[in-house]
Amino acid sequence: MKIPSLAILSFLVMVGNANAQQNSVYVEQIGSGSTINFTQTGVGNAIGNATTKASVNGNNNNVTVEQIGNTNIAALNVQADGVNITATATGDNNNVTINCGVTGSCDGSTITNTITGDGNTVTTNADGLTDSTVTITTNNNTVSVTNTSSAVSGAKSVIDISSGGGNNVALTQAGAAGTNGHDASITIVGATNDVDVRQGGTVDSKVNATITGSGNTLNIKSNHN
């Protein structure tokens, strides 16, 4: 499905119902000032996949992904500036992957992931001046955030895991800094967590990490060597 370029475009995709299984949708959207909503309910649903991600191209778009159920996949490739991406997964063993500006630009954009369920995987790769937020309230989830910025003010990330144990967090930020550069804030309440934070740049780097629990491992490298 390919959506033509328009000044203002509102696009809604709703797939599935409470009993639906294995629905798949792939969207290639081109145009600025768009609103794109994906809603899937059921088991084994997919928005894009590991090899063919749903594509959103155009500045100042608002993209919302909502998946309710287990073993769902959301894979998005966004190439644009000023984009707001909100992804919500409610259920177990879901996989959410968002690439923003990896082969283009993602300046002035925000990526927000909210996960409720166990055994979920969240992967965010962004290139540009981007704010990334991941909020998880359950157990045994894996989070990987990689931000690479050529913007002066760098990229910022917040990861909040507020329940359970067995969580694994890896956050890497690299690129330009020097004026309020890379920033990270990781809060974990639980046990047996593994946290690896790496940042880079030239001077500016700020990391706040709060862990409550037992058996945690924390590695932080400010200059990312």
Side-chain angles (χ1 to χ4, degrees):
M1 182 185 303
K2 188 171 183 177
I3 310 301
S5 177
L6 293 174
I8 298 177
L9 176 66
S10 179
F11 181 60
L12 172 65
V13 174
M14 298 186 68
V15 180
N17 53 52
N19 297 315
Q21 293 187 352
Q22 297 183 343
N23 294 297
S24 298
V25 59
Y26 170 76
V27 171
E28 182 181 358
Q29 189 274 334
I30 302 173
S32 300
S34 305
T35 298
I36 305 101
N37 297 322
F38 300 94
T39 301
Q40 289 182 317
T41 302
V43 178
N45 296 308
I47 299 171
N49 55 47
T51 57
T52 307
K53 294 178 174 60
S55 176
V56 177
N57 299 293
N59 298 329
N60 304 313
N61 291 318
N62 293 307
V63 182
T64 301
V65 176
E66 182 180 11
Q67 291 181 310
I68 301 172
N70 301 327
T71 63
N72 294 305
I73 297 174
L76 273 70
N77 186 22
V78 180
Q79 305 294 336
D81 296 334
V83 178
N84 295 317
I85 306 167
T86 302
T88 302
T90 303
D92 299 335
N93 301 313
N94 296 298
N95 192 314
V96 180
T97 301
I98 299 175
N99 294 336
C100 187
V102 174
T103 59
S105 180
C106 190
D107 287 341
S109 298
T110 61
I111 303 172
T112 303
N113 286 279
T114 302
I115 308 298
T116 304
D118 297 335
N120 296 292
T121 300
V122 178
T123 304
T124 298
N125 299 305
D127 188 351
L129 176 54
T130 307
D131 288 347
S132 300
T133 302
V134 178
T135 302
I136 297 177
T137 58
T138 40
N139 300 321
N140 299 316
N141 297 290
T142 300
V143 178
S144 175
V145 175
T146 302
N147 287 335
T148 302
S149 176
S150 59
V152 173
S153 56
K156 302 182 186 301
S157 296
V158 175
I159 298 175
D160 184 359
I161 300 177
S162 59
S163 179
N167 297 296
N168 181 29
V169 176
L171 188 152
T172 302
Q173 293 181 309
T179 305
N180 297 322
H182 307 298
D183 196 352
S185 176
I186 298 176
T187 302
I188 298 176
V189 178
T192 320
N193 298 292
D194 183 5
V195 179
D196 179 8
V197 179
R198 302 184 184 188
Q199 294 185 282
T202 58
V203 178
D204 279 351
S205 181
K206 181 180 179 181
V207 177
N208 293 321
T210 302
I211 298 177
T212 302
S214 61
N216 299 295
T217 300
L218 177 65
N219 296 315
I220 298 177
K221 294 183 179 181
S222 179
N223 289 323
H224 189 6
N225 290 325

